[in-house]
Amino acid sequence: MEDALDGLAEVALEHLELVVIDLDVEDNAQVIFETLNARGTALRASDLIKNALFRTLQDGTDDIEGLYTRYWEPLEADQWQKEVRVGRLTRPRLDVFVGYFLTVLLQREVQVHQLFPQARGYFDGDKEAAAEFLREMSRYANVYSGIDDRSIASDLEKIALDRLEIVDTQTIMPVLLWLFANSGGAQRERALALLEAYLVRRAICRITPKNYNRLFLELTRKLESASVSADVVVERFLVGQRSDSGVWPTDAQIVADMSRLQLYRLLKRDRLQRLLLALENELTTEQTEPVPPSKKLSVEHLMPQAWHEHWRLDAGDNVEEDRRDELVHTIGNLTLITGKLNSSISNGAWITKRESLLKHSALTLNRSLPDIWDSDAIEQRSRMLAGVATRIWPRPDEAPAHDEISDGDRELRPDRDRSVTTTRSRRPSRPSTRARRDIGQHIVSAFEDLGVGQFLTIGEIGRAPSEEYPANDLPSQGAIAARLFPKNGRPSTVPGVESAIVNGRRGARKLPEA
């Protein structure tokens, strides 16, 4: 304790410096504050906006303290100062909101570094404009909080907002802000349902979201200027998307993609869980006890990921072997169960696993599983679940149909791999050329969600999309084999895995973390 007090005293007496600036009557404290800060540590955009607002309001505004107390002081609460993640970065929640608010207010896209100059340009010394800006910012901040905690949403809107998180995009927030600030009732509920159906269908088919910022900015402008109800604007706008990148997938496309896409590898785990919960809730009838959403439910493979080891086929059954490899990560082979049940039945025989699911699981997803679980059963269940998805997220008949969605319009890299690669390796980005991509990182990515000791064949590793090798440009099995089984006879240098041969099949096994 004495050492701590001595240290504190030393800092206070010898290292702490206090700067005092005496102001004359003519000096403007806000101008000095902004000028000094420009030469030091950068302030948050919201701090600079606050300073500019009240500098504009202070001359000639009688009730400046009242304006501050009513409109700005609530924005200094702890909830607004918390760091939230936007993409790969974290920013103060208030600054994140300011970006969405300015997009709605100015009807144009505002980059992070432009928040303060764009806001200041709106009122630019005009007291009336500054007061209006302050009131509108406060109003939209309340709406933003109400969307976050669902307090301003109806029961149907709460469901829609929860399911929109399957999409995992923040670019729709300006549209949501506008809808909740300027519309209501059945019209708003229908507008949200249309947005949900459009976006979730596209997420299931992995259609690229790269143009969503421009798409939703344009929709916000149409909502602002429209003379018809919000739901009509949203429907006309989404149905009117004619480009391949704006396609609204048909029922047939949903069935085809849910039957073949390896959604377990492509979707983040929480997004996949929300998708399965939505399917479960649709399957639940009035005669069925409802099961509330729970993060305690984990995604389970009905046929084990390591089926080569635990569900062996007869030698030479190459057709079924290839089908299993293609289908094991599709939606038809996935379900939700508790973590404890998962650990007890994960790699068990189907007869035992099915018996445990029927005995312990209350989910409708798990109550109609057949006696035999093979590739045919997985494909049949995928088609069934796809039919459920088309009921949950209906598509207007007027929406244009596209015969085929090209891989160029899809996002076929796993969502998880982008963050995993950034966090683990922190390598600089690589040019998109096969010669310079990292086959070792691709192998590491294939084992990302597997347990210690699990084995993958070279073929399975090759079919697992990654950031290095997306689904439309997978690596050759020869390249994987060369990395796992070097010609010089030395052990593989791929971190976290060891080369292995199981039942005559070459591949790799996941090692415990060092």
Side-chain angles (χ1 to χ4, degrees):
M1 178 63 75
E2 287 186 12
D3 291 342
L5 291 174
D6 288 342
L8 180 61
E10 180 181 351
V11 169
L13 295 174
E14 299 183 19
H15 301 288
L16 183 64
E17 296 182 2
L18 182 65
V19 177
V20 178
I21 301 176
D22 294 323
L23 303 181
D24 292 332
V25 176
E26 296 81 11
D27 291 329
N28 189 313
Q30 276 77 24
V31 171
I32 293 173
F33 167 80
E34 184 177 321
T35 303
L36 288 174
N37 185 71
R39 293 172 171 79
T41 302
L43 284 179
R44 298 172 174 178
S46 52
D47 292 325
L48 294 170
I49 292 170
K50 169 189 172 183
N51 179 63
L53 272 173
F54 288 97
R55 185 177 75 228
T56 302
L57 292 169
Q58 72 177 0
D59 297 326
T61 302
D62 295 333
D63 191 26
I64 190 169
E65 291 187 6
L67 290 173
Y68 170 81
T69 301
R70 182 176 179 182
Y71 296 119
W72 192 276
E73 189 173 31
L75 301 178
E76 296 188 341
D78 290 342
Q79 61 171 322
W80 290 104
Q81 312 312 316
K82 292 180 179 178
E83 296 285 321
V84 296
R85 182 168 294 279
V86 180
R88 296 180 179 179
L89 305 176
T90 58
R91 294 164 52 206
R93 182 168 177 260
L94 182 55
D95 280 16
V96 173
F97 156 71
V98 168
Y100 299 139
F101 166 65
L102 287 174
T103 299
V104 176
L105 182 71
L106 304 177
Q107 296 290 292
R108 60 175 177 266
E109 188 175 359
V110 180
Q111 302 294 332
V112 173
H113 65 279
Q114 297 176 323
L115 296 182
F116 173 52
Q118 291 290 331
R120 181 175 56 183
Y122 179 84
F123 48 85
D124 195 24
D126 185 326
K127 296 178 179 57
E128 291 185 4
E132 179 64 19
F133 182 96
L134 184 59
R135 286 191 292 267
E136 282 293 278
M137 183 174 172
S138 174
R139 182 169 78 94
Y140 274 95
N142 290 331
V143 172
Y144 184 69
S145 289
I147 293 173
D148 264 2
D149 62 20
R150 309 295 193 251
S151 61
I152 62 173
S154 68
D155 289 342
L156 288 177
E157 289 168 344
K158 289 175 183 176
I159 294 173
L161 290 172
D162 285 342
R163 289 178 176 173
L164 276 170
E165 294 190 21
I166 295 172
V167 183
D168 193 26
T169 178
Q170 291 96 16
T171 52
I172 195 177
M173 182 54 71
V175 175
L176 297 180
L177 278 175
W178 192 97
L179 288 172
F180 278 93
N182 301 289
S183 66
Q187 294 176 356
R188 189 172 72 196
E189 288 180 348
R190 183 168 180 267
L192 283 178
L194 288 163
L195 287 166
E196 176 195 344
Y198 177 78
L199 289 172
V200 174
R201 281 198 177 216
R202 288 172 59 88
I204 289 173
C205 295
R206 299 295 293 175
I207 301 176
T208 179
K210 63 183 180 182
N211 293 320
Y212 280 175
N213 56 339
R214 291 192 293 271
L215 182 79
F216 294 126
L217 175 59
E218 184 181 351
L219 176 54
T220 306
R221 289 170 176 164
K222 290 188 178 298
L223 286 166
E224 182 69 24
S225 61
S227 57
V228 296
S229 62
D231 59 320
V232 173
V233 175
V234 171
E235 181 174 27
R236 289 176 180 174
F237 179 78
L238 296 179
V239 167
Q241 298 304 307
R242 304 291 173 179
S243 67
D244 290 341
S245 61
V247 62
W248 193 327
T250 63
D251 290 359
Q253 288 165 336
I254 291 292
V255 173
D257 285 343
M258 287 184 71
S259 298
R260 72 176 186 88
L261 289 179
Q262 297 185 354
L263 293 181
Y264 181 80
R265 291 195 178 279
L266 294 172
L267 291 176
K268 286 182 180 178
R269 196 66 68 246
D270 61 330
R271 297 175 65 187
L272 183 58
Q273 184 201 54
R274 288 181 185 276
L275 175 59
L276 288 167
L277 279 172
L279 298 172
E280 163 66 24
N281 290 335
E282 179 67 17
L283 287 168
T284 300
T285 67
E286 294 180 357
Q287 287 77 38
T288 309
E289 299 88 348
V291 178
S294 172
K295 291 185 178 180
K296 295 181 180 179
L297 293 174
S298 61
V299 179
E300 163 69 353
H301 288 74
L302 296 173
M303 177 184 291
Q305 298 184 70
W307 67 266
H308 285 287
E309 220 171 324
H310 300 283
W311 287 25
R312 295 180 182 177
L313 289 169
D314 295 334
D317 195 349
N318 295 328
V319 174
E320 175 65 10
E321 179 182 307
D322 289 342
R323 289 182 69 199
R324 285 188 177 188
D325 286 342
E326 292 172 358
L327 297 173
V328 68
H329 295 305
T330 58
I331 196 75
N333 194 47
L334 305 177
T335 192
L336 293 171
I337 60 177
T338 64
K340 289 184 178 180
L341 183 57
N342 190 348
S343 61
S344 67
I345 67 173
S346 183
N347 292 319
W350 176 243
I351 187 171
T352 304
K353 177 177 281 193
R354 179 176 181 271
E355 182 180 346
S356 295
L357 287 171
L358 294 176
K359 180 179 180 180
H360 298 291
S361 177
L363 298 183
T364 306
L365 278 171
N366 299 327
R367 289 207 302 268
S368 58
L369 297 169
D371 294 333
I372 298 175
W373 194 250
D374 55 12
S375 296
D376 288 337
I378 293 174
E379 287 188 325
Q380 183 177 350
R381 188 166 178 268
S382 288
R383 290 192 294 270
M384 182 274 291
L385 293 177
V388 175
T390 60
R391 295 201 307 270
I392 301 173
W393 299 293
R395 177 183 183 273
D397 294 336
E398 299 81 9
H402 296 245
D403 294 335
E404 185 177 349
I405 304 170
S406 69
D407 285 345
D409 288 322
R410 295 183 191 264
E411 178 54 87
L412 295 174
R413 295 178 300 170
D415 290 333
R416 293 182 301 280
D417 281 354
R418 288 192 288 277
S419 59
V420 168
T421 302
T422 300
T423 302
R424 289 187 164 202
S425 64
R426 298 189 183 277
R427 293 178 291 108
S429 59
R430 296 174 176 271
S432 180
T433 58
R434 178 174 294 279
R436 298 188 62 187
R437 283 181 286 180
D438 189 345
I439 193 71
Q441 184 62 34
H442 173 84
I443 297 171
V444 170
S445 174
F447 284 87
E448 175 60 29
D449 294 310
L450 300 186
V452 173
Q454 292 207 1
F455 172 82
L456 291 178
T457 66
I458 288 174
E460 289 172 323
I461 295 170
R463 285 188 288 270
S466 70
E467 185 179 47
E468 299 286 331
Y469 293 88
N472 61 340
D473 189 20
L474 292 170
S476 69
Q477 295 187 22
I480 298 170
R483 184 64 190 271
L484 290 174
F485 298 88
K487 290 184 178 180
N488 58 17
R490 294 179 180 177
S492 167
T493 58
V494 178
V497 302
E498 63 177 357
S499 55
I501 301 176
V502 176
N503 297 325
R505 298 168 62 85
R506 295 197 303 171
R509 191 187 307 276
K510 186 169 183 176
L511 295 171
E513 292 185 5

